[in-house]
Amino acid sequence: QEPDLAPDVAQERLRSAIFAAIEPSRSAPVNRALDICCSVGGGTLALLDWLERRAGGEAAPPVVEGLDLSPQMLAVARVRDPQGRIAAWHHAAAEASGLEGGAYDLITLQFVCHELPAEATRAVLREAARLLRPGGVIALVDQDPDSEVIRRLPAPIATLLKSTEPYLADYFGLDLPAALAEAGFSDVRREAADPRHRVLVARR
C-alpha cells in the first residue's frame, strides 16, 4: 500500500522488524554471533550494526562472523567490509561448518531456507544447534507460507517465482517449527517481518 516507498527505507524497515523479533528471546548479552549462508554480507553487516547499538558502551564489542559456501559471494562480502568490521568470513558448508561447537550466542539464517531441499534445511538446523551455546538463540528469516500476499499472487507470477526457486515447494511443505524442535530447539516464536516474510526465533 506504499507505492512511493524507497528501497533503502523498505530495507531498513525490514531489518528493524527482524531484529525486533529476535530481541524478546535474547536476554543475555550477545558476545558472538554467526550469520549462516551470509551471501554478500548485507544481512551480516546489518546484524553487527544492531548488536553494536544493543551493546551500547560495553567494553567488549560483539563479534560477528559470516559463513557461506560460495567463495565468490564471500569475495564480494569482504569488499563490502573494507574496515574488517566482521571478525571472520568463513568459507564452509552450512551443514558441516567445521567451526567450534557451543561457541555462539546467536545464529541467523536470513532468506536461506527457501533455497534448500527440506533435508538440507534439517541438516543446517542440526549444525546450528551444535554451534550454539546452551540458551543461545537461532533466528530464521524467510517467506511466510501463510502470507496473504503470497497466497494471492496471480498465477503467472506464482509460476515465474516457482521456476526460479526450485526448492520452494519443499520449503512451503516443511513444518519449520517442528524441524527446529527436532534439531533440539525450544520456545519457538513467530513474528511477521513484513506482509511477505516471517521470523522464527527459538532457543537452544
Side-chain angles (χ1 to χ4, degrees):
Q1 304 302 315
E2 298 178 77
D4 298 324
L5 184 63
D8 57 339
V9 175
Q11 183 69 203
E12 176 58 31
R13 190 182 296 179
L14 173 62
R15 297 293 179 188
S16 296
I18 291 168
F19 301 135
I22 296 172
E23 185 66 51
S25 291
R26 183 69 254 177
S27 54
V30 176
N31 298 311
R32 191 176 181 189
L34 178 66
D35 186 28
I36 290 180
C37 298
C38 63
S39 183
V40 296
T44 318
L45 288 162
L47 175 63
L48 176 60
D49 289 339
W50 171 62
L51 290 174
E52 287 181 340
R53 291 194 302 271
R54 189 179 186 274
E58 290 180 6
V63 171
V64 174
E65 302 163 32
L67 180 148
D68 203 275
L69 185 59
S70 168
Q72 292 84 5
M73 295 290 188
L74 290 172
V76 176
R78 291 186 181 99
V79 169
R80 297 181 68 179
D81 181 30
Q83 297 176 330
R85 297 176 63 219
I86 300 303
W89 296 103
H90 300 286
H91 177 218
E95 68 273 24
S97 69
L99 299 176
E100 177 188 359
Y104 296 92
D105 303 298
L106 173 65
I107 287 178
T108 58
L109 284 89
Q110 304 185 55
F111 310 102
V112 173
C113 295
H114 77 277
E115 303 281 1
L116 304 175
E119 189 47 49
T121 295
R122 292 189 180 94
V124 172
L125 295 182
R126 290 193 294 269
E127 177 69 353
R130 185 187 72 81
L131 294 171
L132 278 170
R133 296 187 177 108
V137 169
I138 188 171
L140 313 178
V141 185
D142 218 311
Q143 298 188 55
D144 184 354
D146 296 323
S147 163
E148 287 299 318
V149 172
I150 292 176
R151 288 177 177 271
R152 293 178 181 174
L153 282 176
I157 300 299
T159 300
L160 178 63
L161 180 63
K162 290 177 181 178
S163 72
T164 62
E165 300 287 359
Y167 298 113
L168 198 59
D170 264 29
Y171 171 74
F172 285 152
L174 177 63
D175 185 339
L176 261 180
L180 282 163
E182 289 169 8
F185 292 97
S186 62
D187 302 325
V188 181
R189 294 175 35 252
R190 176 196 174 279
E191 298 284 347
D194 66 15
R196 181 176 167 181
H197 300 97
R198 68 179 178 185
V199 187
L200 293 176
V201 189
R203 291 183 188 276
R204 176 69 175 93

